[in-house]
Amino acid sequence: MSLFKRSFAECFGTFWLVFGGCGSAVLAAGFPALGIGFAGVALAFGLTVLTMAFTLGHISGCHLNPAITIGLAAGKRFPAKEIVPYIVAQVIGAVAASGTLYLIASGKPGWVMGGFATNGYGANSPGGYSLTACLIAEVVLTAFFLLVIMGSTDSRAPKGFAPIAIGLCLTLIHLISIPVTNTSVNPARSTGPALFVGGAALSQLWLFWVAPILGGIIGALVYRVFFSEEKLGAERTVEEAMATAGD
């Protein structure tokens, strides 16, 4: 399939991730007294990835995340020459989703934007966690996310279950870290809402590019060096692995 079509799939899928995940946080987390809470938001993010992995995994690999794209390239599961088109598509999808969410949320009388599901550290961390704590959390969690992605799409792994493992992993990541950073592990997801909030959300956005990308590279390299048994050049791409999900 052409790079354009695969990039469009990434844009479409990232839109769903941000709209579903951040939308659950903005519209439903505390509605008005009986909301879905942290657990509901965590599940929503996981479900967006699970549904899109089954829908688009066989088309683009369903990265939906610059840290995953770069990590998979570091792990030799994705061609480096296609990194930029994928990331551009992911960011466009995230921004479009955030804009759509803004139009919906602002339609409620008296609505105040507030944090708008942005990520932050220090005073902008939900629990007031320091920059160092937030950096460590994002690096470690993204590293394990890549480990799960590469392991579940390995040729030795049970066929057809990768989307479930990846979706549940993202749910767990959110259950751990919503109080810390509001959970990023995804630079595109962080960028979309930050562009609408501005201020500190934008000035702190650098962390949510640097930490997830660093974590993604670490996780991919750890898996490739210590756990992969496939010969150089023989690794399955994530698209190939996801294609078995429907078999």
Side-chain angles (χ1 to χ4, degrees), residues 5 11 16 39 50 65 73 80-81 85 105 114 143 149 152 165-166 173 177 185 195 202 205 217 237 246:
K5 289 183 177 180
C11 180
W16 184 237
L50 188 154
N65 181 340
K81 64 182 180 180
I149 291 169
S152 63
I166 294 168
I173 285 169
S177 63
V185 300
L195 290 176
L202 273 179
L205 182 61
I217 292 172
T237 64

Side-chain angles (χ1 to χ4, degrees), residues 25-120:
V26 171
L27 302 175
F31 176 79
L34 183 63
I36 61 175
F38 284 176
V41 173
L43 182 60
F45 270 101
L47 288 174
T48 62
V49 169
L50 188 154
T51 52
M52 282 297 104
F54 277 116
T55 305
L56 302 175
H58 55 287
I59 298 171
S60 69
C62 195
H63 301 183
L64 319 184
N65 181 340
I68 292 175
T69 298
I70 294 172
L72 290 174
K76 305 301 182 184
R77 294 282 194 89
F78 185 75
K81 64 182 180 180
E82 297 182 358
I83 289 175
V84 172
Y86 262 49
I87 291 178
V88 170
Q90 291 157 0
V91 171
I92 290 172
V95 173
S98 298
T100 304
L101 179 58
Y102 176 82
L103 291 175
I104 295 170
S106 62
K108 179 181 178 180
W111 179 73
V112 177
M113 178 178 285
F116 199 57
T118 54
N119 304 109

Side-chain angles (χ1 to χ4, degrees), residues 4 13 20 25 41 57 94 130 138 166 169 172 189 192-193 197 206-207 217 222 225 237 246:
F4 174 79
V41 173
S130 69
E138 290 288 328
I166 294 168
C169 180
L172 176 59
R189 168 263 181 272
V197 174
W206 66 270
L207 176 67
I217 292 172
V222 167
V225 171
T237 64

Side-chain angles (χ1 to χ4, degrees), residues 125-208:
S125 158
Y129 287 83
S130 69
L131 168 59
T132 301
C134 293
L135 172 65
I136 293 171
E138 290 288 328
V139 169
V140 170
L141 291 169
T142 314
F144 273 91
F145 197 21
L146 262 293
L147 283 168
V148 170
I149 291 169
M150 293 190 69
S152 63
T153 57
D154 193 298
S155 60
R156 297 165 293 167
K159 303 299 186 290
F161 294 98
I164 299 173
I166 294 168
L168 289 176
C169 180
L170 188 60
T171 299
L172 176 59
I173 285 169
H174 279 77
L175 289 172
I176 295 168
S177 63
I178 288 177
V180 183
T181 61
N182 216 21
T183 309
S184 173
V185 300
N186 184 337
R189 168 263 181 272
S190 297
T191 299
L195 290 176
F196 286 84
V197 174
L202 273 179
S203 66
Q204 295 186 358
L205 182 61
W206 66 270
L207 176 67
F208 303 104

